[in-house]
Amino acid sequence: MTGTTHEIAPRSGAGFTLNAGQTLTVIDPKGVQVADLLAYNAADVGEVLSSGRTLDYAETIRLTTGHKLYSNRSNVMLEIVEDTVGRHDFLLTPCSYATFDHFYPDLPRHRGCFGNLAEALAPWGVTEDMIPVAFNCFMNVPVDGATGRLEVLPPVSRAGDRIVLRAAMDLVIGLTACSAPASNGGSFKPIHYRVEG
Ligand SMILES: [Zn+2]
């Protein structure tokens, strides 16, 4: 069954529910665009996606098809079931006003993915302090193996690339079209998504 394709406008975000067993397809329709993804237990938003748990159990920072994304309570929230890119980030926090002050002091400030997620998730009782590291679909953050230095490079995703995640519990999802210049190759594109199943 093919679900409706929704568009997230450039530099904005969306909140929606994803039930256990349903799949979420996140599509980069134009290429070279990041989408920050957050997930909360729909029955208790104190349970949230955890970078630390996930990377610990996966034993890699290169998450792709077959890997599971865990909560702060070590429960599986999502499983990656398809991935046409193979390059995502789960190290860095959503971009925010503070990010812009730090990296782009000469550009107009933007509330970024953080502000967009906070607004999109507020109807479910999620507050700013409940927003952790997001799973950053298509974000390209290589780590130098010798020095540990991080870089933020343009995504390698091309138009139509996608990642598909299946929910292991009833979830509230926050999803953005990222607002940070370096993360998106210097221009801001929309993100598409579908809920199916
Ligand atoms: Zn962002």
Side-chain angles (χ1 to χ4, degrees), residues 100-118:
F100 275 78
D101 291 343
H102 186 94
F103 287 109
Y104 312 106
D106 298 329
L107 293 183
R109 297 176 91 223
H110 194 281
R111 67 182 186 173
C113 292
F114 186 86
N116 289 329
L117 288 163

PDB file of all heavy atoms in Angstrom, residues 100-118:
ATOM      1  N   PHE A 100      23.646  28.675  15.125  1.00  0.00           N
ATOM      2  CA  PHE A 100      23.896  29.785  14.197  1.00  0.00           C
ATOM      3  C   PHE A 100      24.835  30.808  14.825  1.00  0.00           C
ATOM      4  O   PHE A 100      25.718  31.339  14.146  1.00  0.00           O
ATOM      5  CB  PHE A 100      22.572  30.423  13.748  1.00  0.00           C
ATOM      6  CG  PHE A 100      21.955  29.692  12.582  1.00  0.00           C
ATOM      7  CD1 PHE A 100      21.273  28.501  12.775  1.00  0.00           C
ATOM      8  CD2 PHE A 100      22.109  30.160  11.287  1.00  0.00           C
ATOM      9  CE1 PHE A 100      20.745  27.791  11.705  1.00  0.00           C
ATOM     10  CE2 PHE A 100      21.577  29.462  10.210  1.00  0.00           C
ATOM     11  CZ  PHE A 100      20.892  28.286  10.420  1.00  0.00           C
ATOM     12  N   ASP A 101      24.660  31.088  16.121  1.00  0.00           N
ATOM     13  CA  ASP A 101      25.561  32.035  16.791  1.00  0.00           C
ATOM     14  C   ASP A 101      27.004  31.518  16.774  1.00  0.00           C
ATOM     15  O   ASP A 101      27.950  32.287  16.620  1.00  0.00           O
ATOM     16  CB  ASP A 101      25.124  32.228  18.252  1.00  0.00           C
ATOM     17  CG  ASP A 101      23.810  32.969  18.358  1.00  0.00           C
ATOM     18  OD1 ASP A 101      23.390  33.604  17.368  1.00  0.00           O
ATOM     19  OD2 ASP A 101      23.188  32.904  19.444  1.00  0.00           O
ATOM     20  N   HIS A 102      27.151  30.181  16.907  1.00  0.00           N
ATOM     21  CA  HIS A 102      28.486  29.574  17.002  1.00  0.00           C
ATOM     22  C   HIS A 102      29.193  29.522  15.639  1.00  0.00           C
ATOM     23  O   HIS A 102      30.353  29.896  15.516  1.00  0.00           O
ATOM     24  CB  HIS A 102      28.349  28.163  17.574  1.00  0.00           C
ATOM     25  CG  HIS A 102      29.650  27.476  17.848  1.00  0.00           C
ATOM     26  ND1 HIS A 102      30.259  27.499  19.088  1.00  0.00           N
ATOM     27  CD2 HIS A 102      30.469  26.753  17.043  1.00  0.00           C
ATOM     28  CE1 HIS A 102      31.409  26.824  19.018  1.00  0.00           C
ATOM     29  NE2 HIS A 102      31.546  26.352  17.798  1.00  0.00           N
ATOM     30  N   PHE A 103      28.464  29.023  14.630  1.00  0.00           N
ATOM     31  CA  PHE A 103      29.108  28.743  13.338  1.00  0.00           C
ATOM     32  C   PHE A 103      28.868  29.819  12.273  1.00  0.00           C
ATOM     33  O   PHE A 103      29.652  29.922  11.323  1.00  0.00           O
ATOM     34  CB  PHE A 103      28.609  27.404  12.773  1.00  0.00           C
ATOM     35  CG  PHE A 103      29.149  26.202  13.501  1.00  0.00           C
ATOM     36  CD1 PHE A 103      28.332  25.440  14.309  1.00  0.00           C
ATOM     37  CD2 PHE A 103      30.491  25.833  13.366  1.00  0.00           C
ATOM     38  CE1 PHE A 103      28.819  24.327  14.974  1.00  0.00           C
ATOM     39  CE2 PHE A 103      30.995  24.725  14.033  1.00  0.00           C
ATOM     40  CZ  PHE A 103      30.157  23.980  14.838  1.00  0.00           C
ATOM     41  N   TYR A 104      27.775  30.543  12.405  1.00  0.00           N
ATOM     42  CA  TYR A 104      27.386  31.478  11.330  1.00  0.00           C
ATOM     43  C   TYR A 104      27.055  32.859  11.909  1.00  0.00           C
ATOM     44  O   TYR A 104      25.962  33.377  11.693  1.00  0.00           O
ATOM     45  CB  TYR A 104      26.164  30.942  10.568  1.00  0.00           C
ATOM     46  CG  TYR A 104      26.252  29.491  10.153  1.00  0.00           C
ATOM     47  CD1 TYR A 104      25.504  28.502  10.810  1.00  0.00           C
ATOM     48  CD2 TYR A 104      27.072  29.096   9.085  1.00  0.00           C
ATOM     49  CE1 TYR A 104      25.567  27.171  10.428  1.00  0.00           C
ATOM     50  CE2 TYR A 104      27.144  27.773   8.701  1.00  0.00           C
ATOM     51  CZ  TYR A 104      26.391  26.814   9.378  1.00  0.00           C
ATOM     52  OH  TYR A 104      26.450  25.497   8.987  1.00  0.00           O
ATOM     53  N   PRO A 105      28.004  33.458  12.665  1.00  0.00           N
ATOM     54  CA  PRO A 105      27.666  34.733  13.327  1.00  0.00           C
ATOM     55  C   PRO A 105      27.321  35.850  12.345  1.00  0.00           C
ATOM     56  O   PRO A 105      26.674  36.823  12.740  1.00  0.00           O
ATOM     57  CB  PRO A 105      28.935  35.053  14.130  1.00  0.00           C
ATOM     58  CG  PRO A 105      30.024  34.277  13.469  1.00  0.00           C
ATOM     59  CD  PRO A 105      29.385  33.036  12.924  1.00  0.00           C
ATOM     60  N   ASP A 106      27.722  35.721  11.077  1.00  0.00           N
ATOM     61  CA  ASP A 106      27.438  36.781  10.105  1.00  0.00           C
ATOM     62  C   ASP A 106      26.151  36.548   9.326  1.00  0.00           C
ATOM     63  O   ASP A 106      25.758  37.381   8.519  1.00  0.00           O
ATOM     64  CB  ASP A 106      28.608  36.913   9.117  1.00  0.00           C
ATOM     65  CG  ASP A 106      29.898  37.304   9.828  1.00  0.00           C
ATOM     66  OD1 ASP A 106      29.817  38.018  10.853  1.00  0.00           O
ATOM     67  OD2 ASP A 106      30.974  36.884   9.356  1.00  0.00           O
ATOM     68  N   LEU A 107      25.494  35.415   9.549  1.00  0.00           N
ATOM     69  CA  LEU A 107      24.234  35.126   8.848  1.00  0.00           C
ATOM     70  C   LEU A 107      23.052  35.445   9.765  1.00  0.00           C
ATOM     71  O   LEU A 107      23.191  35.442  10.983  1.00  0.00           O
ATOM     72  CB  LEU A 107      24.169  33.644   8.462  1.00  0.00           C
ATOM     73  CG  LEU A 107      25.169  33.150   7.423  1.00  0.00           C
ATOM     74  CD1 LEU A 107      24.908  31.694   7.105  1.00  0.00           C
ATOM     75  CD2 LEU A 107      25.113  33.992   6.153  1.00  0.00           C
ATOM     76  N   PRO A 108      21.883  35.690   9.176  1.00  0.00           N
ATOM     77  CA  PRO A 108      20.694  35.858  10.023  1.00  0.00           C
ATOM     78  C   PRO A 108      20.469  34.608  10.870  1.00  0.00           C
ATOM     79  O   PRO A 108      20.640  33.483  10.387  1.00  0.00           O
ATOM     80  CB  PRO A 108      19.565  36.030   9.001  1.00  0.00           C
ATOM     81  CG  PRO A 108      20.233  36.439   7.727  1.00  0.00           C
ATOM     82  CD  PRO A 108      21.592  35.807   7.751  1.00  0.00           C
ATOM     83  N   ARG A 109      20.090  34.803  12.143  1.00  0.00           N
ATOM     84  CA  ARG A 109      19.837  33.659  13.013  1.00  0.00           C
ATOM     85  C   ARG A 109      18.614  32.903  12.524  1.00  0.00           C
ATOM     86  O   ARG A 109      17.712  33.470  11.927  1.00  0.00           O
ATOM     87  CB  ARG A 109      19.589  34.114  14.456  1.00  0.00           C
ATOM     88  CG  ARG A 109      20.751  34.802  15.085  1.00  0.00           C
ATOM     89  CD  ARG A 109      20.382  35.309  16.475  1.00  0.00           C
ATOM     90  NE  ARG A 109      20.673  34.344  17.523  1.00  0.00           N
ATOM     91  CZ  ARG A 109      19.868  34.067  18.539  1.00  0.00           C
ATOM     92  NH1 ARG A 109      18.687  34.635  18.608  1.00  0.00           N
ATOM     93  NH2 ARG A 109      20.219  33.211  19.473  1.00  0.00           N
ATOM     94  N   HIS A 110      18.594  31.600  12.825  1.00  0.00           N
ATOM     95  CA  HIS A 110      17.434  30.763  12.489  1.00  0.00           C
ATOM     96  C   HIS A 110      17.238  29.796  13.646  1.00  0.00           C
ATOM     97  O   HIS A 110      18.209  29.299  14.206  1.00  0.00           O
ATOM     98  CB  HIS A 110      17.690  30.012  11.180  1.00  0.00           C
ATOM     99  CG  HIS A 110      16.455  29.398  10.596  1.00  0.00           C
ATOM    100  ND1 HIS A 110      15.921  28.229  11.063  1.00  0.00           N
ATOM    101  CD2 HIS A 110      15.648  29.810   9.588  1.00  0.00           C
ATOM    102  CE1 HIS A 110      14.825  27.935  10.355  1.00  0.00           C
ATOM    103  NE2 HIS A 110      14.633  28.878   9.456  1.00  0.00           N
ATOM    104  N   ARG A 111      15.991  29.503  13.993  1.00  0.00           N
ATOM    105  CA  ARG A 111      15.730  28.596  15.120  1.00  0.00           C
ATOM    106  C   ARG A 111      16.124  27.168  14.796  1.00  0.00           C
ATOM    107  O   ARG A 111      16.282  26.341  15.693  1.00  0.00           O
ATOM    108  CB  ARG A 111      14.280  28.644  15.537  1.00  0.00           C
ATOM    109  CG  ARG A 111      13.315  28.084  14.492  1.00  0.00           C
ATOM    110  CD  ARG A 111      11.886  28.206  14.972  1.00  0.00           C
ATOM    111  NE  ARG A 111      10.958  27.559  14.063  1.00  0.00           N
ATOM    112  CZ  ARG A 111       9.654  27.411  14.325  1.00  0.00           C
ATOM    113  NH1 ARG A 111       9.156  27.870  15.455  1.00  0.00           N
ATOM    114  NH2 ARG A 111       8.868  26.840  13.461  1.00  0.00           N
ATOM    115  N   GLY A 112      16.276  26.878  13.508  1.00  0.00           N
ATOM    116  CA  GLY A 112      16.839  25.614  13.063  1.00  0.00           C
ATOM    117  C   GLY A 112      15.943  24.416  13.346  1.00  0.00           C
ATOM    118  O   GLY A 112      14.762  24.531  13.704  1.00  0.00           O
ATOM    119  N   CYS A 113      16.517  23.235  13.170  1.00  0.00           N
ATOM    120  CA  CYS A 113      15.780  22.003  13.422  1.00  0.00           C
ATOM    121  C   CYS A 113      15.286  21.950  14.864  1.00  0.00           C
ATOM    122  O   CYS A 113      14.199  21.457  15.137  1.00  0.00           O
ATOM    123  CB  CYS A 113      16.667  20.794  13.143  1.00  0.00           C
ATOM    124  SG  CYS A 113      17.080  20.595  11.397  1.00  0.00           S
ATOM    125  N   PHE A 114      16.098  22.476  15.801  1.00  0.00           N
ATOM    126  CA  PHE A 114      15.709  22.428  17.213  1.00  0.00           C
ATOM    127  C   PHE A 114      14.390  23.170  17.438  1.00  0.00           C
ATOM    128  O   PHE A 114      13.446  22.631  18.028  1.00  0.00           O
ATOM    129  CB  PHE A 114      16.822  23.021  18.079  1.00  0.00           C
ATOM    130  CG  PHE A 114      16.592  22.887  19.547  1.00  0.00           C
ATOM    131  CD1 PHE A 114      16.960  21.751  20.227  1.00  0.00           C
ATOM    132  CD2 PHE A 114      15.997  23.924  20.258  1.00  0.00           C
ATOM    133  CE1 PHE A 114      16.749  21.622  21.589  1.00  0.00           C
ATOM    134  CE2 PHE A 114      15.771  23.811  21.622  1.00  0.00           C
ATOM    135  CZ  PHE A 114      16.151  22.661  22.294  1.00  0.00           C
ATOM    136  N   GLY A 115      14.318  24.403  16.953  1.00  0.00           N
ATOM    137  CA  GLY A 115      13.090  25.180  17.107  1.00  0.00           C
ATOM    138  C   GLY A 115      11.930  24.568  16.348  1.00  0.00           C
ATOM    139  O   GLY A 115      10.782  24.575  16.824  1.00  0.00           O
ATOM    140  N   ASN A 116      12.219  24.048  15.162  1.00  0.00           N
ATOM    141  CA  ASN A 116      11.154  23.426  14.367  1.00  0.00           C
ATOM    142  C   ASN A 116      10.629  22.154  15.031  1.00  0.00           C
ATOM    143  O   ASN A 116       9.426  21.886  15.014  1.00  0.00           O
ATOM    144  CB  ASN A 116      11.662  23.120  12.958  1.00  0.00           C
ATOM    145  CG  ASN A 116      11.862  24.391  12.142  1.00  0.00           C
ATOM    146  OD1 ASN A 116      11.155  25.380  12.334  1.00  0.00           O
ATOM    147  ND2 ASN A 116      12.836  24.366  11.233  1.00  0.00           N
ATOM    148  N   LEU A 117      11.532  21.374  15.615  1.00  0.00           N
ATOM    149  CA  LEU A 117      11.103  20.156  16.318  1.00  0.00           C
ATOM    150  C   LEU A 117      10.310  20.510  17.570  1.00  0.00           C
ATOM    151  O   LEU A 117       9.297  19.878  17.875  1.00  0.00           O
ATOM    152  CB  LEU A 117      12.324  19.299  16.678  1.00  0.00           C
ATOM    153  CG  LEU A 117      13.002  18.595  15.503  1.00  0.00           C
ATOM    154  CD1 LEU A 117      14.401  18.124  15.886  1.00  0.00           C
ATOM    155  CD2 LEU A 117      12.157  17.425  15.003  1.00  0.00           C
ATOM    156  N   ALA A 118      10.768  21.513  18.305  1.00  0.00           N
ATOM    157  CA  ALA A 118      10.065  21.906  19.529  1.00  0.00           C
ATOM    158  C   ALA A 118       8.634  22.313  19.206  1.00  0.00           C
ATOM    159  O   ALA A 118       7.690  21.919  19.915  1.00  0.00           O
ATOM    160  CB  ALA A 118      10.808  23.041  20.225  1.00  0.00           C
TER     161      ALA A 118
END
